[in-house]
Amino acid sequence: MTITLAQALLLGFFCGFAKCCMPYTPGAFMYNTVIFNAVIVGAVMGNMQQAMMIGATIQLIYLGVIAAGGNQPSDPCLAAYIAIPIAIASNLNTNAAIALAVPVALLGVQISNLVYLWNGFFAEKADTKAADGDTSGIFTWGVIIPGIIRWGVFGVLVFLALYFGLGTMKQILNSIPSWLSNGLTAMGACLPAVGFAIIANLIGKKKYIPFFLAGFFLVQYSKIGTMPLLLIGLFLVFLYLTFTKNEYLRSVDEEDDDDEEEEDEPTEELAPSTQMLTNKDLLKAWTKWWVFAEVGHSFERMQAPMFASAMAGPLHKFYPKKEDKPKLIEALKRHMTFFNTEAHWGGGPILGLSLAMEEKKSQSYDAIPGETIVNLKTGLMGPLAGIGDTISWSTLMYLFIGLFLPLAKKGNPLGGIGPIVCLTVICFAIGYFLTKKCYTYGYSFAENMLRSGLVNVIIAGASILGLFMMGGLTSTYVTVATPLKIVTGTYSTSVQSIFDSILPGILPLILVSLLWKMLSKDRNYFKATILTTLVSLALGCLGIIV
C-alpha cells in the first residue's frame, strides 16, 4: 500500500491544525495525546481499525505527557501523524510503529521550540499595534500569523515525510533482523510503563500509593474490565474522603484572624448595578480566549497576545469614546505583558477578574492602579495553573483515555472520540463558570477558591481515582515478561511461571515502581524514556525479556 498525494496533504493539514492547539481543550488533547489523532489518521487512510489499534498502543507510551508551563517532554501528536500512516502503509506491527514513534516525538519537541522562539518576533510586532490601540492588529500579528506559520511548519513536515519518505522507511523496516524484532517487541512491552510512571508521579503522593497497588492487583487477580474498575474506584474515593475530608477542608474560624487584617482594605467586588458586560459579552470573551489561548504561544510572551485579544472587545465597551483611546492603549499594553497559565482553571478566573477590575478602573480611573491589575494576574497565574494542570490534564484527560482505551484497542473509533468529547464539555463549562463568577464577585471568589479546602478535596479525590485507575491499566497494558527457562536434566520450568506463582504481574510492577522512583528524584521524562528504550531493547535482543 502507498500513501497517495491527497492522503499526505490531508494528514499534513490535520497535523498542522492539531499543533495549533485550537480550540484550547480539544486542541491541547490532540497536542498531548495520540488517541484522537488516530481516528483522523484512520479516516484518511481508510483503515480505522488498524489505526486505532496502533494508536492505542502508542498512546500507552505517552500517558502522563502534558505541556505544563508550555514545556512538552515529547510530541505524541507528530508521532501519531507519521508513525501510524507509515505502519498502515507498510503493514508493520505495533512494535515497529512504536520504534518509529519515539524518535519522531522527540524531534517534534525541538521543532516546536524553534516555532515558539520565532513567534516572539510576532509578539513584538503585536506590541506596536497595542501602542496604536489597534486591537485587530494585535489579533492578526499576535495570534493569526503565528498560528498560520505553526500550522504550515508541521503540515509541510508531515506531508514531506509521508509522501517522499515512505519508500525509504519501508526498506529500512523490512530489513530488520529477527533478533532486533525481538528487541522491538520487548521495547513495546516496556515503554507503556514510562507513561504510567509519569502520570503516577504527577498526581500521586506517597500516602496514595496503596490505591495504585489496589487497582493493579484487583485487575491482576480478577481480570475485571475498565468500567467496573471505575465504579469501584469511585466508591473507594467516596469512603476515603468521607473519613478524611477534615484534613483538606479549612474551617472559617481558622482564618478569622487573617480576614480581620484585610477587612479595612478596599474590596474589588463590584455592585451589580455597576456592571457593564452582559452574559453574552462574557461568553464571547471567554470563548475567544478558549479558542485561541495557545495559538500564538511564544517563549517571550507565552499567552499574552491571546489574552489581550480576549480582553479587546470588553475594553472597547469600557472606553467607547475617542478621547478614551489613551486609556484603551494603556489597558492593551497591560495585557500584552508576559502571561501563562492553564486556560480553564487559570485563564477563566483571571479573565473574569481582569474584566471586573478594568471595568471599575474605567468608571473611576484612579481607583485602581494599572500595576495592581498586572500584579494580580501575575500572582494568580501560577497557583491556578497548578490546579488546572493537576485536575484537567494530569487526571481527567488520562482518566477518560483509560476508560475508552479498551475500545481503541479493539479498533473502535469511539475509543478516541469519547475522551475528547467528555473532556471538552466538562472543561469548557468549568472555564466559563469561573469567568462569570470572578467577574460577578471579584477577587473574593478567586481568593476563596484558592484558600478553601474544597479545591484540595477535588484534587485529592481526582488523584486517588487516577492512581487507582492507572494501577489497573498498568496491570493490563504493561506486558513485560521473561522467556527464560531453568533446565536441569529432564526437568524444565519457565522463570515466568515461578514469578507468577510468587506474585502475578511482578515484572510490570517492578518496572513501573523503578521508573516512578526515578522520576520522583529527577523529573526528566526524556531521560526516563531513553533509558527504558535502550535497556528494554538490549534485553529483548538478548532474549532476556519479551
Side-chain angles (χ1 to χ4, degrees):
M1 179 181 178
T2 60
I3 297 177
T4 66
L5 176 64
Q7 287 173 329
L9 285 171
L10 281 173
L11 290 172
F13 176 88
F14 285 118
C15 181
F17 178 79
K19 292 298 292 181
C20 287
C21 207
M22 180 181 69
Y24 179 74
T25 315
F29 185 98
M30 295 170 69
Y31 188 90
N32 288 305
T33 67
V34 174
I35 203 69
F36 182 73
N37 295 313
V39 176
I40 297 174
V41 172
V44 173
M45 295 296 294
N47 192 337
M48 183 65 73
Q49 184 175 24
Q50 190 177 2
M52 292 307 301
M53 293 172 68
I54 295 172
T57 303
I58 297 176
Q59 177 62 73
L60 291 170
I61 305 173
Y62 299 111
L63 288 175
V65 170
I66 63 171
N71 297 311
Q72 191 181 37
S74 194
D75 190 343
C77 179
L78 185 64
Y81 281 97
I82 290 182
I84 298 176
I86 288 178
I88 293 174
S90 304
N91 198 26
L92 301 176
N93 59 32
T94 54
N95 296 316
I98 288 174
L100 178 59
V102 171
V104 169
L106 296 175
L107 174 64
V109 174
Q110 306 310 317
I111 297 172
S112 292
N113 288 340
L114 291 175
V115 172
Y116 294 157
L117 187 65
W118 177 252
N119 282 351
F121 165 78
F122 299 109
E124 292 181 358
K125 185 67 176 178
D127 279 339
T128 64
K129 299 301 177 181
D132 295 332
D134 182 2
T135 53
S136 62
I138 294 173
F139 186 65
T140 300
W141 285 98
V143 183
I144 298 299
I145 293 177
I148 291 173
I149 290 176
R150 194 171 176 179
W151 196 330
V153 166
F154 284 96
V156 170
L157 175 66
V158 169
F159 168 74
L160 293 176
L162 295 181
Y163 193 65
F164 295 104
L166 180 61
T168 303
M169 290 304 303
K170 277 185 176 181
Q171 293 177 3
I172 294 173
L173 294 170
N174 289 335
S175 62
I176 294 177
S178 58
W179 58 269
L180 182 55
S181 180
N182 293 335
L184 294 175
T185 300
M187 186 178 73
C190 292
L191 276 175
V194 179
F196 289 117
I198 289 173
I199 195 166
N201 180 257
L202 285 172
I203 68 176
K205 297 181 180 180
K206 286 185 178 179
K207 63 180 179 179
Y208 299 151
I209 291 177
F211 291 98
F212 178 88
L213 297 174
F216 181 88
F217 288 116
L218 180 61
V219 172
Q220 193 65 233
Y221 283 102
S222 68
K223 307 300 180 185
I224 64 172
T226 306
M227 190 54 67
L229 184 68
L230 172 64
L231 295 175
I232 294 171
L234 288 171
F235 179 68
L236 290 176
V237 169
F238 171 76
L239 288 179
Y240 180 85
L241 294 179
T242 297
F243 292 104
T244 63
K245 63 182 180 181
N246 289 336
E247 294 181 17
Y248 304 99
L249 292 172
R250 296 180 181 179
S251 67
V252 176
D253 292 340
E254 291 176 347
E255 298 185 353
D256 278 347
D257 292 340
D258 293 335
D259 293 339
E260 287 174 3
E261 295 177 3
E262 299 172 3
E263 280 178 358
D264 296 332
E265 295 181 6
T267 178
E268 285 151 6
E269 295 185 9
L270 295 174
S273 60
T274 66
Q275 293 179 347
M276 302 167 62
L277 301 180
T278 64
N279 287 338
K280 184 178 179 180
D281 293 327
L282 290 175
L283 180 60
K284 187 176 179 180
W286 157 249
T287 303
K288 190 170 186 179
W289 162 249
W290 178 74
V291 170
F292 297 107
E294 281 289 338
V295 175
H297 185 107
S298 68
F299 285 137
E300 183 175 338
R301 301 294 175 81
M302 295 290 183
Q303 301 167 321
M306 288 69 75
F307 192 86
S309 296
M311 293 287 296
L315 286 175
H316 276 294
K317 195 167 185 178
F318 299 154
Y319 301 108
K321 299 178 181 179
K322 188 175 181 179
E323 56 266 28
D324 291 332
K325 190 171 183 180
K327 297 177 181 178
L328 172 65
I329 290 173
E330 184 183 333
L332 291 172
K333 288 181 176 180
R334 274 195 294 275
H335 297 292
M336 277 298 295
T337 56
F338 182 93
F339 181 74
N340 191 41
T341 192
E342 196 276 334
H344 309 116
W345 295 84
I350 295 173
L351 178 62
L353 282 171
S354 297
L355 291 173
M357 296 182 74
E358 289 289 359
E359 183 181 68
K360 186 169 184 178
K361 184 172 179 61
S362 71
Q363 296 165 354
S364 180
Y365 199 74
D366 296 327
I368 300 178
E371 293 80 6
T372 301
I373 300 174
V374 174
N375 292 339
L376 180 69
K377 288 173 59 181
T378 304
L380 287 177
M381 66 183 187
L384 291 176
I387 294 172
D389 286 339
T390 300
I391 296 177
S392 294
W393 302 114
S394 298
T395 305
L396 281 180
M397 180 170 73
Y398 288 110
L399 185 59
F400 287 135
I401 288 175
L403 286 175
F404 286 92
L405 199 60
L407 289 175
K409 292 284 283 186
K410 295 177 182 178
N412 191 328
L414 288 177
I417 297 170
I420 195 171
V421 171
C422 291
L423 187 71
T424 298
V425 171
I426 291 173
C427 289
F428 181 89
I430 288 172
Y432 176 60
F433 171 81
L434 294 174
T435 300
K436 188 175 179 181
K437 289 297 182 183
C438 284
Y439 169 71
T440 304
Y441 297 109
Y443 182 75
S444 62
F445 182 84
E447 182 185 38
N448 290 336
M449 186 178 74
L450 281 172
R451 294 173 61 184
S452 74
L454 181 60
V455 170
N456 294 332
V457 170
I458 293 173
I459 292 176
S463 297
I464 291 168
L465 182 60
L467 279 178
F468 182 77
M469 293 298 297
M470 290 307 112
L473 293 172
T474 297
S475 178
T476 303
Y477 295 116
V478 182
T479 59
V480 60
T482 178
L484 298 178
K485 293 185 177 181
I486 298 176
V487 180
T488 55
T490 58
Y491 175 77
S492 176
T493 185
S494 68
V495 174
Q496 187 61 48
S497 65
I498 297 174
F499 287 156
D500 290 340
S501 65
I502 298 171
L503 193 66
I506 189 171
L507 289 182
L509 184 60
I510 289 174
L511 177 59
V512 173
S513 299
L514 289 174
L515 288 168
W516 192 349
K517 183 72 173 178
M518 173 184 169
L519 291 172
S520 65
K521 294 181 178 179
D522 178 16
R523 283 194 178 184
N524 191 327
Y525 303 144
F526 175 82
K527 180 180 177 181
T529 301
I530 293 298
L531 182 63
T532 304
T533 299
L534 295 177
V535 172
S536 60
L537 183 63
L539 293 178
C541 291
L542 294 172
I544 297 174
I545 60 173
V546 292

